[in-house]
Amino acid sequence: MAEQSQKKIITDVRLLGIEKRYVPNKHYLYILSVKWSEGSEFIIYRQYSAFFQLHETLTELFPLETGVVGKKHQTIPPLPKQKWFGNERFKVAESRQTTIDDYCRKVAMAEP
């Protein structure tokens, strides 16, 4: 009898750092390690705008968990709005590292 395959789930997410890129224009990427239940690990690169878009979608789909309805049942932390900045880009990207790391862990480990 064939064994039923178990659902693959995220078991850990860690922010590894940030990287400056120049193509197609200057921007910063957050580098994350995503580990899965079957043992695989993927390294992904995302701009802050991707986290912000994810948060906007989660806010629409899960207003209770994102704190829109009230803070009592909030399980997904807030995410600061995007900033359009000049010469301080690295400082802003660097200061967001703890926020992004915490956000990704809480979203990944949230109850289904």
Side-chain angles (χ1 to χ4, degrees):
M1 186 174 217
E3 206 175 292
Q4 285 187 342
S5 63
Q6 291 186 341
K7 188 176 180 182
K8 184 174 163 180
I9 60 170
I10 294 173
T11 58
D12 190 39
V13 177
R14 301 262 179 218
L15 180 70
L16 302 176
I18 54 176
E19 184 177 291
K20 184 191 274 189
R21 296 265 178 105
Y22 294 96
V23 177
N25 52 27
K26 188 167 97 172
H27 61 282
Y28 292 89
L29 295 175
Y30 295 89
I31 308 163
L32 295 117
S33 163
V34 180
K35 294 184 180 178
W36 295 86
S37 55
E38 38 64 73
S40 65
E41 177 182 14
F42 291 90
I43 305 299
I44 61 171
Y45 297 77
R46 296 290 183 271
Q47 286 184 276
Y48 187 79
S49 59
F51 296 107
F52 192 74
Q53 289 172 352
L54 170 65
H55 188 70
E56 286 184 328
T57 301
L58 291 174
T59 299
E60 290 176 18
L61 296 173
F62 305 102
L64 187 65
E65 291 83 352
T66 54
V68 173
V69 175
K71 304 296 181 199
K72 183 178 180 184
H73 299 288
Q74 184 176 3
T75 56
I76 298 173
L79 195 59
K81 292 189 179 202
Q82 290 180 278
K83 292 181 182 177
W84 305 105
F85 34 75
N87 294 331
E88 301 297 313
R89 288 182 181 191
F90 183 75
K91 288 180 183 177
V92 172
E94 191 174 47
S95 70
R96 288 178 173 163
Q97 287 187 91
T98 302
T99 302
I100 294 292
D101 189 46
D102 184 54
Y103 183 82
C104 289
R105 288 180 198 210
K106 287 184 177 173
V107 168
M109 300 305 144
E111 291 292 322

